[in-house]
């Protein structure tokens, strides 16, 4: 059977927060019996945008990560809450707004912190994938509909097809080691979770310093070349997707007329190595 999944492209998210605002617009003050009680006007963000800044100097980037209920296939809330939480045949998880009343312990079961507690209604609540709209024939939840950069896409396909797609397009889920089997997938998650090593190349001739474009740069780890890049018009290069605190790397640069350079770099957080000088 086809089931719902959400694919979020971290590289496309610009922190406009339309996804969260659309969700609030749909749920604040609106009761959908069997699906969700009204979302509180204040204090709840069923969709949260996390921010991560990487780099230093003149090479800095910012990534935004929309997070919400992951609608896990092996959700801890399902196991702990009995019939107060149900997994629909289409993959969507719904907390029953009647049976879950007073069950604050359900909030603590989510390792992602995606369950909110409604003090007024004494009710645990989540983003329900807009299941009430899906059941009316909508092809996507409002968070996807409202995204101006197409960073969020809803997809209803067979599980096998989804796994093949995830493998083919290098899609990732949050904290896979938890074994919860989320249905929220991320493209370009490395923008948030990984580090980069960047730098700029220069040459000096007769006291004049110039940037070096079209130079070949190699990144070496433990004696093996793991990535290659070419400097741009500004003489800059960037190697992304590196593990934080991953230790010693070597940068080797070569240009047919400007010369070459070699530098050791220790990677903790993302690094920018400015003005690497090529010599002949």
């Amino acid at each position: 059977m086809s089931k719902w999944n959400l694919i979020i492209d971290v590289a496309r998210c610009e922190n406009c927060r339309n996804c969260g605002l659309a969700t609030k617009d749909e749920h604040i003050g609106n009761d959908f019996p069997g699906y969700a009680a009204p979302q509180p006007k204040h204090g709840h963000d069923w969709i949260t945008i996390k921010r991560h800044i990487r780099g230093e100097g003149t090479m800095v980037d910012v990534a935004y990560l929309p997070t919400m209920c992951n609608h896990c296939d092996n959700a801890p809330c399902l196991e702990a809450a009995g019939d107060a939480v149900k997994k629909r045949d289409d993959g969507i998880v719904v907390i029953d707004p009647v049976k879950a009343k007073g069950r604050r312990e359900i909030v603590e079961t989510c390792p992602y912190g995606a369950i909110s507690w409604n003090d007024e209604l004494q009710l645990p609540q989540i983003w329900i994938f807009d299941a009430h709209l899906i059941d009316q024939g909508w092809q996507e939840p409002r968070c996807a509909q409202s995204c101006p950069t197409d960073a969020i896409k809803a997809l209803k396909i067979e599980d096998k097809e989804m796994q093949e797609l995830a493998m083919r397009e290098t899609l990732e889920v949050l904290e896979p080691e938890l074994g919860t089997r989320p249905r929220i997938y991320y493209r370009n998650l490395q923008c948030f979770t990984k580090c980069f090593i960047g730098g700029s190349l220069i040459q000096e001739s007769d006291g004049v310093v110039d940037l070096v474009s079209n130079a070949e740069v190699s990144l070496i780890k433990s004696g093996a070349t793991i990535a290659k890049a070419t400097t741009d018009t500004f003489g800059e290069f960037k190697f992304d997707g590196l593990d934080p605190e991953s230790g010693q790397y070597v940068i080797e640069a070569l240009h047919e007329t400007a010369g070459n350079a070699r530098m050791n770099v220790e990677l903790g957080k993302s690094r920018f190595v400015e003005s690497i000088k090529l010599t002949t």
Side-chain angles (χ1 to χ4, degrees), residues 168-184:
R168 186 168 63 250
E169 298 190 7
T170 321
L171 305 179
E172 301 177 75
V173 298
L174 296 180
E175 302 185 59
E177 68 276 5
L178 296 175
T180 58
R181 296 165 56 201
R183 289 193 168 273
I184 310 300

Side-chain angles (χ1 to χ4, degrees), residues 44-245:
H44 276 211
D45 288 310
W46 291 359
I47 296 180
T48 301
I49 311 293
K50 298 179 180 180
R51 183 181 71 168
H52 182 58
I53 302 173
R54 306 187 304 167
E56 57 188 355
T58 59
M59 188 175 285
V60 177
D61 62 35
V62 182
Y64 298 102
L65 183 74
T67 62
M68 64 283 285
C69 173
N70 281 283
H71 294 274
C72 306
D73 285 345
N74 190 27
C77 62
L78 283 170
E79 183 177 348
D83 63 354
V85 181
K86 62 181 178 180
K87 180 77 168 178
R88 296 173 17 141
D89 290 340
D90 61 2
I92 295 175
V93 172
V94 174
I95 296 179
D96 190 299
V98 175
K99 295 179 180 179
K101 193 172 183 64
R103 304 273 313 266
R104 186 160 193 160
E105 75 277 6
I106 295 175
V107 174
E108 307 303 324
T109 65
C110 179
Y112 303 100
I115 304 177
S116 301
W117 177 252
N118 187 323
D119 273 321
E120 181 182 355
L121 300 179
Q122 291 292 292
L123 189 66
Q125 294 182 295
I126 58 170
W127 173 70
I128 62 168
F129 214 107
D130 288 346
H132 62 299
L133 298 179
I134 295 295
D135 289 349
Q136 295 175 33
W138 284 49
Q139 298 303 304
E140 57 185 2
R142 287 194 59 185
C143 64
Q145 178 198 54
S146 64
C147 182
T149 62
D150 290 327
I152 303 177
K153 294 287 189 182
L155 192 62
K156 189 181 184 185
I157 58 176
E158 299 279 348
D159 284 347
K160 182 179 179 181
E161 291 180 79
M162 187 64 226
Q163 294 308 311
E164 291 173 350
L165 177 65
M167 183 73 69
R168 186 168 63 250
E169 298 190 7
T170 321
L171 305 179
E172 301 177 75
V173 298
L174 296 180
E175 302 185 59
E177 68 276 5
L178 296 175
T180 58
R181 296 165 56 201
R183 289 193 168 273
I184 310 300
Y185 290 82
Y186 292 89
R187 181 179 285 112
N188 294 311
L189 187 59
Q190 75 276 359
C191 295
F192 198 90
T193 60
K194 299 291 186 177
C195 292
F196 68 76
I197 293 176
S200 63
L201 302 185
I202 62 171
Q203 63 175 337
E204 185 174 355
S205 179
D206 297 327
V208 177
V209 176
D210 287 322
L211 303 172
V212 182
S213 59
N214 295 315
E216 295 182 2
V217 186
S218 299
L219 185 67
I220 301 169
K221 177 74 171 172
S222 301
T225 299
I226 60 173
K228 291 188 175 184
T230 302
T231 54
D232 61 18
T233 304
F234 303 101
E236 293 186 343
F237 63 89
K238 185 178 184 180
F239 298 107
D240 208 340
L242 306 174
D243 290 330
E245 306 293 342

Side-chain angles (χ1 to χ4, degrees), residues 253-270:
L254 176 64
H255 189 271
E256 58 182 5
T257 59
N260 57 72
R262 182 182 174 95
M263 176 177 287
N264 295 326
V265 178
E266 184 77 19
L267 182 62
K269 298 180 180 180
S270 293

